[in-house]
């Protein structure tokens, strides 16, 4: 797949995501309305003319799906409850057993729904009216073996519970300070995170300001962009967040402050259509070697930044931020990847691990989300709650195996 197309999707993710959601809803509604008519035309037996059987089957299907998920979540709860109460030697085999039960429950629900559709296609108005017959014992044994193998792979799939780099998102921890300011940097650097992740925008006078949002309405109550003001004008603005107030800061000042504290940075390069044509090349020339010396790294949503920086500064670690994890990492080569948490799966982690490339994930902020990402085997987490993440990854692995089961359940959705 073309890297240009992938980059277009990433930079226009909000608009395209909204279109995709609306399209999915339209297809779902249309499918629910037209599917009975389609099956009536192709069915070998006459179907009932009314929709009563379909509606009944639909409600049974929805109820069965929720019941299956509820049962699976109860089994995840059992793993969570027993994690801190059972010896480590029992933790892994018990997790395998619970994974098998989850597989059995969710598979049974899926088969139940499938049989219901087939029965309707055969001309029966009540999809779930008659009792099931047990399958042949050979088929039953085959299903048990398949389920056992599936459960074993889910629990033992590597990488899992890797050493996790703690990365402070926008330089903030637990709401102490205003994002991307020196005050927040001073606070979070005391915890020695692996990186402080921060953002850069080009200014009107071709400098860079440490800022995430393209518009300052939320932080400074002014509807202006970095390209509307010079760096000096931006540095006079007061920004407020989390009950704190601070001033915007230029990139050179922020970098010197980080160097004074020996704090490594993960720099996110923000791009807009108003950027000067050779902005990335100029950044590479002015700061590439300095960032290498400081053991810093750069990542961006814009794949052009990745390719241009690697051309100009090959030794600088440059990563690609993927808002939608819908393509193989091989399609967009980079030194590391910053995956979005919502769509991250074990397949993406494995694909990157096979290339021996680090994977970071943004932005898990709850203990549950952090444990799930840790169980997936990510190399680092970009979070607004760095101190909480430090606590999570210092817990015994046996107490967090429930997260493997939670990921297993979510993989079915």
């Amino acid at each position: 797949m073309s890297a240009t197309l992938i980059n277009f999707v990433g930079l226009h993710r909000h608009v395209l995501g909204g279109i995709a959601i609306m399209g999915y809803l339209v297809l779902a509604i249309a499918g629910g309305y037209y599917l009975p008519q389609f099956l009536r035309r192709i069915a070998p037996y006459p179907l009932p003319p009314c929709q009563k059987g379909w509606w009944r089957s639909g409600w049974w299907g929805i109820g069965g799906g929720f019941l299956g998920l509820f049962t699976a979540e109860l089994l995840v709860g059992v793993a969570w409850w027993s994690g801190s109460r059972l010896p480590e030697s029992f933790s892994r085999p018990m997790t395998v057993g619970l994974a098998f039960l989850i597989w059995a429950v969710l598979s049974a629900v899926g088969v139940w729904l499938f049989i219901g559709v087939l029965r309707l296609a055969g001309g029966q108005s009540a999809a779930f009216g008659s009792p099931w017959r047990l399958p042949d014992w050979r088929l039953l044994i085959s299903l048990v073996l398949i389920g056992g193998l599936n459960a074993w792979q889910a629990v033992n799939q590597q990488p899992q519970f890797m050493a996790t780099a703690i990365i402070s998102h926008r330089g903030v921890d637990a709401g102490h300070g205003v994002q991307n300011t020196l005050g927040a940097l001073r606070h979070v650097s005391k915890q020695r995170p692996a990186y402080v992740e921060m953002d850069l925008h080009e200014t009107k006078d071709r400098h860079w300001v440490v800022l995430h949002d393209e518009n300052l309405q939320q932080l400074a109550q002014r509807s202006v962009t970095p390209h509307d003001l010079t760096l000096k004008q931006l540095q006079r603005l007061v920004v407020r967040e989390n009950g704190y107030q601070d001033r915007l800061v230029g990139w050179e000042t922020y970098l010197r402050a980080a160097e004074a504290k020996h704090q490594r940075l993960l720099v996110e390069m923000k791009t807009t259509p108003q950027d000067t044509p050779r902005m990335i090349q100029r950044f590479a020339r002015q700061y590439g070697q300095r960032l290498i010396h400081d053991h810093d790294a750069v990542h961006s949503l814009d794949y052009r930044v990745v390719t241009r920086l690697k051309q100009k500064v090959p030794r600088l670690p440059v990563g690609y931020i993927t808002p939608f994890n819908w393509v193989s990492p091989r399609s967009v080569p980079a030194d590391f990847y910053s995956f979005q948490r919502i769509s991250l799966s074990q397949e993406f982690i494995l694909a990157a691990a096979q290339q021996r490339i680090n994977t970071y994930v943004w932005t898990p902020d709850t203990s549950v989300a952090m444990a799930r990402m840790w169980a997936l085997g990510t190399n680092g987490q970009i979070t607004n709650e760095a101190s909480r993440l430090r606590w999570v990854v210092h817990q015994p692995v046996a107490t967090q195996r429930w997260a493997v089961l939670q990921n297993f359940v979510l993989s079915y959705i």
Side-chain angles (χ1 to χ4, degrees), residues 3-23:
T4 302
L5 174 60
I6 296 172
N7 198 51
F8 176 83
V9 172
L11 293 177
H12 300 85
R13 61 196 183 280
H14 299 298
V15 174
L16 295 177
I19 293 174
I21 292 173
M22 292 300 298

Side-chain angles (χ1 to χ4, degrees), residues 171-174 176-177 182-191 261:
V172 175
D173 175 38
H176 291 285
L182 291 180
L185 174 65
R186 294 188 188 102
H187 174 83
V188 77
S189 62
K190 297 175 183 178
Q191 300 187 36
K261 295 181 176 297

Side-chain angles (χ1 to χ4, degrees), residues 158-405:
Q158 295 301 322
Q160 283 182 1
F161 299 110
M162 301 282 289
T164 299
I166 299 173
I167 305 171
S168 172
H169 186 229
R170 305 185 192 178
V172 175
D173 175 38
H176 291 285
V178 183
Q179 58 178 279
N180 285 313
T181 60
L182 291 180
L185 174 65
R186 294 188 188 102
H187 174 83
V188 77
S189 62
K190 297 175 183 178
Q191 300 187 36
R192 310 309 303 166
Y195 290 102
V196 165
E197 193 263 359
M198 37 75 65
D199 309 271
L200 291 185
H201 271 287
E202 189 183 38
T203 65
K204 182 179 180 179
D205 53 348
R206 301 177 64 187
H207 293 288
W208 288 278
V209 63
V210 183
L211 178 67
H212 177 273
D213 297 346
E214 189 175 342
N215 192 290
L216 282 156
Q217 181 63 53
Q218 183 174 351
L219 289 178
Q221 292 75 52
R222 288 193 58 181
S223 184
V224 293
T225 71
H227 279 286
D228 294 330
L229 303 174
T230 66
L231 179 59
K232 287 186 177 180
Q233 290 173 323
L234 287 164
Q235 288 176 321
R236 287 197 289 266
L237 295 180
V238 176
V239 288
R240 295 176 175 85
E241 188 181 41
N242 303 319
Y244 294 84
Q245 69 177 38
D246 212 321
R247 292 186 182 275
L248 292 178
V249 61
W251 163 232
E252 178 67 31
T253 303
Y254 195 96
L255 179 58
R256 280 191 275 107
E259 290 171 336
K261 295 181 176 297
H262 304 287
Q263 174 61 61
R264 292 192 299 173
L265 299 177
L266 177 55
V267 183
E268 179 176 348
M269 292 296 299
K270 295 287 188 179
T271 60
T272 70
Q274 290 74 41
D275 294 334
T276 53
R278 299 184 61 82
M279 179 190 73
I280 301 304
Q281 291 86 334
R282 181 162 47 87
F283 179 86
R285 184 178 64 254
Q286 294 180 18
Y287 293 103
Q289 296 304 320
R290 188 170 172 183
L291 293 175
I292 292 173
H293 178 269
D294 294 342
H295 303 287
D296 296 333
V298 178
H299 66 169
S300 179
L301 276 162
D302 193 332
Y303 192 64
R304 295 169 298 182
V305 173
V306 179
T307 56
R308 291 172 186 174
L309 278 180
K310 290 305 294 183
Q311 289 173 356
K312 295 297 181 181
V313 197
R315 291 175 51 230
L316 177 65
V318 184
Y320 181 49
I321 304 173
T322 57
F324 297 131
N325 304 313
W326 59 292
V327 294
S328 167
R330 293 182 182 275
S331 302
V332 278
D335 293 325
F336 61 92
Y337 298 96
S338 301
F339 290 119
Q340 186 178 33
R341 176 179 66 87
I342 295 175
S343 57
L344 184 61
S345 68
Q346 189 74 59
E347 288 72 25
F348 291 103
I349 299 295
L350 291 175
Q354 289 171 357
Q355 301 180 61
R356 298 183 179 179
I357 295 176
N358 283 345
T359 57
Y360 304 140
V361 58
W362 50 280
T363 37
D365 289 334
T366 66
S367 299
V368 170
M370 292 170 179
R372 285 189 52 235
M373 297 303 103
W374 190 28
L376 281 177
T378 57
N379 300 103
Q381 299 188 32
I382 305 171
T383 176
N384 297 297
E385 303 285 342
S387 54
R388 179 179 298 167
L389 175 59
R390 188 181 301 279
W391 177 85
V392 169
V393 299
H394 279 83
Q395 300 303 302
V397 171
T399 66
Q400 305 297 310
R401 290 199 190 279
W402 63 266
V404 176
L405 297 180

